[in-house]
Amino acid sequence: MQLLSSGFRKEPPYYVPLGHEVEIFEHCHAHGNAVMLKGPTGCGKTRFVEHMAWRLGCPLVTISCHDDLSASDLVGRFLVRHDGTFWQDGPLTRAVREGAICYLDELVEARSDTVVVLHPLTDHRRILPIDKTGETVIAPTGFQLVVSYNPGYQRMLKDLKPSTRQRFVAIDLDFPDTEREVAIVAHESGADQATAFTLVTLGRRLRELRDRGLAEVPGTRLLVATAQLAVSGVELRQACYAGLVAPLSDDPCLVEAMRDLVDATFA
Ligand SMILES: Nc1ncnc2c1ncn2[C@@H]1O[C@H](COP(=O)(O)OP(=O)(O)OP(=O)(O)O)[C@@H](O)[C@H]1O
Ligand SMILES: [Mg+2]
């Protein structure tokens, strides 16, 4: 489990809004409603939560979910020491006590018996019962649960149960339009507008390969990484091969199709 707790920063984390997500999130926060962010990889979900935590002046606790994550990993456990046994809060319990925004990344990866722990926090009760100690922690104003997932992944039978889904307000995030994505890539990498525009245009063409079997299309993160390679001196075409094409697929046909698109861009 990856756990990050953000300190307070002077500058807001840079975030370019794509629609009404900032406003909707603020209303959810005021009402104590849990939020579900849906969107493809690298489209800005994590950055958005970091930005909102800063705007709302809340600490942020981030937990990356995986299929080994247990309820005890979230809530806490008794630890045995030479001088006895003591209780240690898990990250979820800590977030509730602190009135933090608790961000569970890729919630769909977590086992359903783990997800159920969130239920009493996401309805009118806003409580976290800790069975092992008998304590019930009441969530203070400010505590908010945020989860994210990428609906595009091939998940076999994995999905969230309706009883979980219907506890959240869902915000759909997608890739930004060209103008915004150029601004993001230029800001994040230090690349000039022309380079950012070239990469974003190429990225949008690569995204069209979804219809030809490319399961994961390039997110803004890959465009930023490619632009960073170019800014630090790698020739742009080589930067695209390494930063944009190679990470996306091992399928020789798809890789060739993507390299052709790169070559056509720089012909
Ligand atoms: N709207 C945006 N405003 C500012 N930066 C953005 C935005 N969208 C994407 N980025 C840039 O793209 C990078 C990737 O975004 P982020 O890590 O938030 O994606 P994500 O949706 O959380 O992806 P994943 O599902 O893989 O965790 C960010 O570090 C940032 O540089
Ligand atoms: Mg993320």
Side-chain angles (χ1 to χ4, degrees), residues 58-123:
C58 292
L60 175 63
V61 173
T62 300
I63 303 166
S64 291
C65 299
H66 52 79
D67 53 11
D68 262 354
L69 188 74
S70 67
S72 300
D73 290 331
L74 288 181
V75 175
R77 52 171 51 91
F78 282 107
L79 298 180
V80 181
R81 268 194 335 206
H82 66 281
D83 53 349
T85 304
F86 72 101
W87 173 259
Q88 187 177 57
D89 280 345
L92 177 65
T93 309
R94 224 185 67 219
V96 177
R97 291 194 206 280
E98 283 178 13
I101 290 179
C102 185
Y103 176 38
L104 291 127
D105 204 0
E106 280 299 325
L107 180 68
V108 87
E109 296 294 336
R111 297 194 314 247
S112 51
D113 57 315
T114 306
V115 174
V116 163
V117 168
L118 306 176
H119 284 194
L121 279 169
T122 51
D123 53 35

Coordinates of all heavy atoms in Angstrom, one line a residue, residues 58-123:
C58 N -7.6 21.1 3.2 CA -7.6 19.9 3.9 C -6.4 19.0 3.7 O -5.8 19.0 2.6 CB -8.8 19.0 3.4 SG -10.4 19.7 3.7
P59 N -6.0 18.3 4.8 CA -4.9 17.3 4.5 C -5.4 16.3 3.5 O -6.6 16.0 3.4 CB -4.6 16.7 5.9 CG -5.5 17.4 6.9 CD -6.5 18.3 6.1
L60 N -4.4 15.6 2.9 CA -4.8 14.6 1.9 C -4.1 13.3 2.2 O -2.9 13.3 2.4 CB -4.4 15.1 0.5 CG -4.6 14.1 -0.7 CD1 -6.0 13.7 -0.9 CD2 -4.0 14.6 -2.0
V61 N -4.8 12.2 2.3 CA -4.2 10.9 2.6 C -4.6 10.1 1.4 O -5.7 9.9 1.0 CB -4.8 10.3 3.9 CG1 -4.3 8.8 4.0 CG2 -4.5 11.1 5.1
T62 N -3.5 9.6 0.7 CA -3.8 8.8 -0.5 C -3.4 7.3 -0.3 O -2.4 7.0 0.3 CB -2.9 9.3 -1.7 OG1 -3.2 10.7 -1.9 CG2 -3.1 8.5 -3.0
I63 N -4.3 6.4 -0.7 CA -4.1 5.0 -0.5 C -4.3 4.3 -1.9 O -5.3 4.5 -2.5 CB -5.1 4.4 0.5 CG1 -5.1 5.1 1.8 CG2 -4.9 2.9 0.6 CD1 -6.2 4.8 2.7
S64 N -3.2 3.6 -2.3 CA -3.3 2.9 -3.6 C -3.9 1.5 -3.3 O -3.3 0.7 -2.6 CB -2.0 2.7 -4.3 OG -1.5 4.0 -4.7
C65 N -5.0 1.2 -3.9 CA -5.7 -0.1 -3.7 C -5.1 -1.2 -4.5 O -4.7 -1.0 -5.7 CB -7.2 0.0 -3.9 SG -8.0 1.3 -2.9
H66 N -5.1 -2.4 -4.0 CA -4.7 -3.6 -4.7 C -5.4 -4.8 -4.1 O -6.1 -4.6 -3.1 CB -3.2 -3.8 -4.7 CG -2.7 -3.8 -3.2 ND1 -2.8 -4.8 -2.4 CD2 -2.2 -2.7 -2.5 CE1 -2.3 -4.5 -1.2 NE2 -1.9 -3.2 -1.2
D67 N -5.4 -5.9 -4.8 CA -6.2 -7.0 -4.3 C -5.8 -7.7 -3.1 O -6.5 -8.6 -2.6 CB -6.5 -8.0 -5.5 CG -5.2 -8.5 -6.1 OD1 -4.1 -8.3 -5.5 OD2 -5.2 -9.2 -7.1
D68 N -4.6 -7.3 -2.5 CA -4.2 -7.8 -1.2 C -4.6 -6.9 -0.1 O -4.4 -7.2 1.1 CB -2.7 -8.0 -1.2 CG -2.2 -9.4 -1.5 OD1 -3.1 -10.2 -1.6 OD2 -1.0 -9.6 -1.6
L69 N -5.2 -5.8 -0.4 CA -5.5 -4.8 0.6 C -6.6 -5.3 1.5 O -7.7 -5.6 1.0 CB -5.9 -3.5 -0.1 CG -6.1 -2.2 0.8 CD1 -4.7 -1.7 1.2 CD2 -6.9 -1.2 0.1
S70 N -6.3 -5.4 2.8 CA -7.3 -5.9 3.7 C -8.0 -4.8 4.5 O -7.5 -3.6 4.5 CB -6.7 -6.9 4.7 OG -5.8 -6.2 5.6
A71 N -9.1 -5.1 5.2 CA -9.7 -4.1 6.0 C -8.8 -3.6 7.1 O -8.8 -2.4 7.4 CB -11.0 -4.7 6.6
S72 N -8.0 -4.5 7.6 CA -7.0 -4.1 8.7 C -6.0 -3.1 8.1 O -5.5 -2.2 8.9 CB -6.3 -5.3 9.3 OG -7.2 -6.2 9.8
D73 N -5.6 -3.3 6.9 CA -4.6 -2.4 6.3 C -5.2 -1.0 6.3 O -4.5 0.0 6.4 CB -4.3 -2.8 4.8 CG -3.5 -4.0 4.7 OD1 -2.7 -4.3 5.7 OD2 -3.6 -4.8 3.7
L74 N -6.5 -0.9 6.1 CA -7.2 0.4 6.1 C -7.5 1.0 7.5 O -7.2 2.1 7.8 CB -8.5 0.3 5.3 CG -8.5 0.2 3.8 CD1 -9.9 0.1 3.3 CD2 -7.7 1.3 3.2
V75 N -8.0 0.1 8.3 CA -8.5 0.6 9.6 C -7.5 0.6 10.7 O -7.4 1.5 11.5 CB -9.8 -0.3 10.0 CG1 -10.3 0.1 11.4 CG2 -10.9 -0.2 9.0
G76 N -6.6 -0.5 10.7 CA -5.6 -0.5 11.7 C -5.5 -1.9 12.3 O -6.3 -2.8 12.0
R77 N -4.5 -2.1 13.2 CA -4.3 -3.4 13.8 C -3.6 -3.3 15.1 O -3.0 -2.3 15.4 CB -3.6 -4.3 12.8 CG -2.3 -3.7 12.3 CD -1.4 -4.8 11.6 NE -2.2 -5.5 10.5 CZ -2.3 -5.1 9.2 NH1 -1.6 -4.0 8.9 NH2 -2.9 -5.8 8.4
F78 N -3.7 -4.4 15.9 CA -2.9 -4.5 17.1 C -1.5 -4.9 16.8 O -1.3 -5.9 16.0 CB -3.5 -5.4 18.1 CG -4.7 -4.8 18.8 CD1 -6.0 -5.3 18.5 CD2 -4.6 -3.9 19.8 CE1 -7.1 -4.7 19.2 CE2 -5.6 -3.3 20.5 CZ -6.9 -3.7 20.2
L79 N -0.5 -4.2 17.3 CA 0.9 -4.6 17.1 C 1.4 -5.1 18.4 O 1.1 -4.6 19.5 CB 1.7 -3.4 16.6 CG 1.3 -2.8 15.2 CD1 2.2 -1.7 14.9 CD2 1.3 -3.9 14.1
V80 N 2.3 -6.1 18.4 CA 2.9 -6.7 19.6 C 4.3 -6.1 19.7 O 5.1 -6.1 18.8 CB 2.9 -8.2 19.5 CG1 3.5 -8.8 20.8 CG2 1.5 -8.8 19.2
R81 N 4.6 -5.5 20.9 CA 5.9 -5.0 21.2 C 6.4 -5.7 22.4 O 5.7 -6.4 23.1 CB 5.8 -3.5 21.4 CG 6.0 -2.7 20.2 CD 6.3 -1.2 20.5 NE 5.8 -0.7 21.7 CZ 5.5 0.6 21.9 NH1 5.7 1.4 21.0 NH2 5.1 1.0 23.1
H82 N 7.7 -5.5 22.8 CA 8.3 -6.1 23.9 C 7.5 -5.7 25.2 O 7.4 -6.5 26.1 CB 9.8 -5.8 24.1 CG 10.0 -4.3 24.4 ND1 9.9 -3.4 23.4 CD2 10.2 -3.7 25.5 CE1 10.2 -2.2 23.9 NE2 10.3 -2.3 25.2
D83 N 6.9 -4.5 25.2 CA 6.2 -4.0 26.4 C 4.7 -4.2 26.3 O 4.0 -3.6 27.1 CB 6.6 -2.6 26.7 CG 6.4 -1.7 25.5 OD1 6.1 -2.2 24.4 OD2 6.4 -0.4 25.7
G84 N 4.3 -5.0 25.4 CA 2.8 -5.2 25.3 C 2.2 -5.0 24.0 O 3.0 -5.0 23.0
T85 N 0.9 -4.9 23.9 CA 0.2 -4.9 22.7 C -0.4 -3.5 22.5 O -0.9 -3.0 23.5 CB -0.9 -5.9 22.7 OG1 -0.3 -7.2 22.9 CG2 -1.6 -6.0 21.3
F86 N -0.3 -2.9 21.4 CA -0.9 -1.6 21.2 C -1.6 -1.4 19.9 O -1.2 -2.1 18.9 CB 0.1 -0.4 21.5 CG 1.1 -0.2 20.4 CD1 0.9 0.8 19.5 CD2 2.2 -1.1 20.4 CE1 1.9 0.9 18.5 CE2 3.1 -0.9 19.3 CZ 3.0 0.1 18.4
W87 N -2.6 -0.6 19.8 CA -3.3 -0.4 18.6 C -2.7 0.7 17.7 O -2.2 1.7 18.2 CB -4.7 0.1 19.0 CG -5.6 0.5 17.8 CD1 -5.8 1.8 17.3 CD2 -6.2 -0.4 16.8 NE1 -6.6 1.7 16.2 CE2 -6.8 0.4 15.9 CE3 -6.3 -1.8 16.8 CZ2 -7.6 -0.2 14.8 CZ3 -7.0 -2.3 15.7 CH2 -7.7 -1.5 14.8
Q88 N -2.6 0.4 16.4 CA -2.1 1.4 15.5 C -3.2 1.7 14.4 O -3.6 0.8 13.7 CB -0.8 0.9 14.8 CG -0.2 2.0 14.0 CD 1.1 1.5 13.3 OE1 1.2 0.5 12.6 NE2 2.2 2.2 13.6
D89 N -3.5 2.9 14.3 CA -4.5 3.3 13.3 C -4.0 3.1 11.9 O -2.8 3.3 11.6 CB -4.8 4.9 13.4 CG -5.7 5.2 14.5 OD1 -6.4 4.3 15.0 OD2 -5.8 6.4 14.8
G90 N -4.9 2.6 11.0 CA -4.5 2.5 9.6 C -4.8 3.9 9.0 O -5.3 4.8 9.6
P91 N -4.4 4.0 7.7 CA -4.5 5.3 7.0 C -6.0 5.8 6.9 O -6.2 7.0 7.0 CB -4.0 5.1 5.6 CG -3.9 3.6 5.4 CD -3.8 3.0 6.8
L92 N -6.9 4.9 6.8 CA -8.3 5.4 6.7 C -8.7 6.0 8.1 O -9.3 7.1 8.1 CB -9.2 4.2 6.3 CG -10.7 4.6 6.3 CD1 -11.0 5.6 5.2 CD2 -11.6 3.3 6.1
T93 N -8.4 5.3 9.1 CA -8.8 5.8 10.5 C -8.1 7.1 10.8 O -8.7 8.1 11.3 CB -8.4 4.8 11.5 OG1 -8.9 3.5 11.1 CG2 -8.9 5.1 12.9
R94 N -6.8 7.2 10.3 CA -6.1 8.5 10.6 C -6.8 9.6 9.8 O -6.9 10.7 10.3 CB -4.7 8.3 10.1 CG -3.6 8.8 11.0 CD -2.3 8.7 10.5 NE -2.1 9.6 9.3 CZ -1.4 9.2 8.2 NH1 -0.8 8.0 8.2 NH2 -1.3 10.0 7.2
A95 N -7.2 9.3 8.6 CA -7.8 10.4 7.7 C -9.1 10.8 8.4 O -9.4 12.0 8.4 CB -8.0 9.8 6.3
V96 N -9.9 9.9 8.9 CA -11.1 10.2 9.5 C -10.9 11.1 10.7 O -11.5 12.2 10.9 CB -12.0 9.0 10.0 CG1 -13.2 9.4 10.7 CG2 -12.3 8.1 8.7
R97 N -10.0 10.7 11.6 CA -9.7 11.5 12.8 C -9.2 12.9 12.5 O -9.5 13.9 13.1 CB -8.6 10.8 13.7 CG -9.0 9.5 14.3 CD -8.0 9.1 15.4 NE -8.0 7.7 15.6 CZ -8.8 7.1 16.4 NH1 -9.8 7.7 17.0 NH2 -8.7 5.7 16.6
E98 N -8.4 13.0 11.4 CA -7.8 14.3 11.0 C -8.8 15.2 10.2 O -8.4 16.3 9.9 CB -6.6 14.1 10.1 CG -5.3 13.7 10.8 CD -4.2 13.4 9.7 OE1 -4.3 13.9 8.6 OE2 -3.2 12.8 10.1
G99 N -9.9 14.6 9.8 CA -10.8 15.4 8.9 C -10.2 15.6 7.6 O -10.3 16.7 7.0
A100 N -9.4 14.6 7.1 CA -8.7 14.8 5.8 C -9.6 14.3 4.6 O -10.6 13.7 4.8 CB -7.5 13.9 5.9
I101 N -9.1 14.6 3.5 CA -9.6 14.0 2.3 C -8.9 12.7 2.1 O -7.6 12.7 2.1 CB -9.4 14.9 1.0 CG1 -10.3 16.1 1.1 CG2 -9.7 14.2 -0.3 CD1 -10.2 17.1 0.0
C102 N -9.6 11.6 2.1 CA -9.0 10.3 1.9 C -9.2 9.8 0.5 O -10.4 9.6 0.1 CB -9.6 9.3 2.9 SG -8.8 7.7 2.9
Y103 N -8.2 9.7 -0.2 CA -8.2 9.3 -1.7 C -7.8 7.9 -1.9 O -6.6 7.5 -1.7 CB -7.3 10.3 -2.4 CG -7.2 10.0 -3.9 CD1 -8.3 9.6 -4.7 CD2 -6.0 10.2 -4.6 CE1 -8.3 9.4 -6.0 CE2 -5.9 10.0 -6.0 CZ -7.1 9.6 -6.7 OH -7.0 9.3 -8.0
L104 N -8.8 7.1 -2.3 CA -8.4 5.6 -2.5 C -8.4 5.5 -4.1 O -9.4 5.5 -4.8 CB -9.5 4.7 -2.0 CG -9.5 4.7 -0.4 CD1 -10.9 5.0 0.1 CD2 -9.1 3.3 0.0
D105 N -7.1 5.3 -4.5 CA -6.9 5.2 -5.9 C -7.1 3.8 -6.4 O -6.7 2.8 -5.8 CB -5.4 5.5 -6.1 CG -5.1 6.0 -7.5 OD1 -6.0 6.1 -8.3 OD2 -3.9 6.3 -7.8
E106 N -7.8 3.6 -7.6 CA -8.1 2.3 -8.2 C -8.9 1.4 -7.2 O -8.5 0.3 -6.9 CB -6.9 1.6 -8.7 CG -6.4 2.1 -10.0 CD -7.5 1.9 -11.1 OE1 -8.2 0.9 -11.1 OE2 -7.6 2.8 -12.0
L107 N -9.9 2.0 -6.6 CA -10.7 1.2 -5.6 C -11.2 -0.1 -6.1 O -11.3 -1.1 -5.4 CB -12.0 2.1 -5.2 CG -12.8 1.4 -4.1 CD1 -12.1 1.3 -2.8 CD2 -14.2 2.1 -4.0
V108 N -11.4 -0.2 -7.4 CA -12.0 -1.4 -8.0 C -11.0 -2.6 -7.8 O -11.4 -3.8 -7.8 CB -12.4 -1.2 -9.5 CG1 -11.2 -1.4 -10.4 CG2 -13.6 -1.9 -9.9
E109 N -9.7 -2.3 -7.6 CA -8.8 -3.4 -7.3 C -8.9 -4.0 -5.9 O -8.5 -5.1 -5.7 CB -7.3 -2.8 -7.4 CG -6.9 -2.3 -8.8 CD -6.9 -3.5 -9.9 OE1 -6.7 -4.6 -9.5 OE2 -7.1 -3.2 -11.0
A110 N -9.6 -3.3 -5.0 CA -9.7 -3.8 -3.6 C -10.7 -4.9 -3.6 O -11.7 -4.9 -4.3 CB -10.0 -2.7 -2.7
R111 N -10.5 -5.9 -2.6 CA -11.5 -6.9 -2.4 C -12.8 -6.4 -1.9 O -12.8 -5.3 -1.2 CB -11.0 -8.0 -1.4 CG -9.7 -8.7 -1.8 CD -9.5 -9.9 -1.0 NE -9.7 -9.6 0.5 CZ -8.7 -9.6 1.4 NH1 -7.4 -9.8 1.0 NH2 -8.9 -9.3 2.6
S112 N -13.9 -7.0 -2.2 CA -15.2 -6.4 -1.8 C -15.4 -6.4 -0.2 O -16.0 -5.5 0.3 CB -16.4 -7.2 -2.4 OG -16.3 -8.5 -2.2
D113 N -14.7 -7.4 0.5 CA -14.9 -7.3 2.0 C -14.1 -6.1 2.5 O -14.3 -5.7 3.6 CB -14.4 -8.6 2.6 CG -13.0 -9.0 2.2 OD1 -12.7 -8.9 1.0 OD2 -12.2 -9.4 3.1
T114 N -13.1 -5.6 1.7 CA -12.4 -4.4 2.2 C -13.2 -3.2 1.9 O -13.3 -2.3 2.7 CB -11.0 -4.4 1.4 OG1 -10.3 -5.6 1.6 CG2 -10.2 -3.2 1.9
V115 N -13.8 -3.2 0.7 CA -14.6 -2.0 0.3 C -15.8 -1.7 1.2 O -16.1 -0.6 1.5 CB -15.1 -2.2 -1.2 CG1 -16.0 -1.1 -1.6 CG2 -13.9 -2.3 -2.1
V116 N -16.3 -2.8 1.8 CA -17.5 -2.7 2.7 C -17.2 -1.8 3.9 O -18.1 -1.1 4.4 CB -18.0 -4.1 3.1 CG1 -18.9 -4.1 4.3 CG2 -18.7 -4.8 1.9
V117 N -15.9 -1.8 4.3 CA -15.5 -0.9 5.5 C -15.9 0.5 5.2 O -16.1 1.3 6.2 CB -14.0 -1.1 5.7 CG1 -13.4 -0.1 6.6 CG2 -13.7 -2.5 6.2
L118 N -15.9 0.9 3.9 CA -16.2 2.3 3.6 C -17.6 2.7 3.8 O -18.0 3.9 3.9 CB -15.7 2.6 2.2 CG -14.3 2.3 1.8 CD1 -14.1 2.6 0.3 CD2 -13.3 3.1 2.6
H119 N -18.5 1.7 3.7 CA -19.9 2.0 3.6 C -20.5 2.9 4.7 O -21.1 3.9 4.4 CB -20.8 0.7 3.5 CG -20.7 0.1 2.2 ND1 -21.5 -0.9 1.8 CD2 -19.9 0.3 1.1 CE1 -21.2 -1.3 0.5 NE2 -20.2 -0.5 0.1
P120 N -20.2 2.6 6.0 CA -20.8 3.5 7.0 C -20.2 5.0 7.0 O -20.8 5.9 7.6 CB -20.4 2.9 8.4 CG -19.7 1.6 8.1 CD -19.4 1.5 6.6
L121 N -19.1 5.1 6.3 CA -18.5 6.5 6.1 C -19.2 7.3 5.0 O -19.0 8.5 4.9 CB -17.0 6.4 5.8 CG -16.1 6.2 7.0 CD1 -14.7 5.8 6.5 CD2 -16.1 7.4 8.0
T122 N -19.9 6.5 4.1 CA -20.4 7.2 2.9 C -21.9 7.4 2.9 O -22.5 7.8 1.9 CB -20.1 6.3 1.7 OG1 -20.5 5.0 1.9 CG2 -18.6 6.3 1.4
D123 N -22.6 7.1 4.1 CA -24.0 7.5 4.2 C -24.2 8.5 5.3 O -23.2 9.0 5.8 CB -24.9 6.2 4.3 CG -24.5 5.3 5.4 OD1 -24.0 5.8 6.4 OD2 -24.6 4.1 5.3

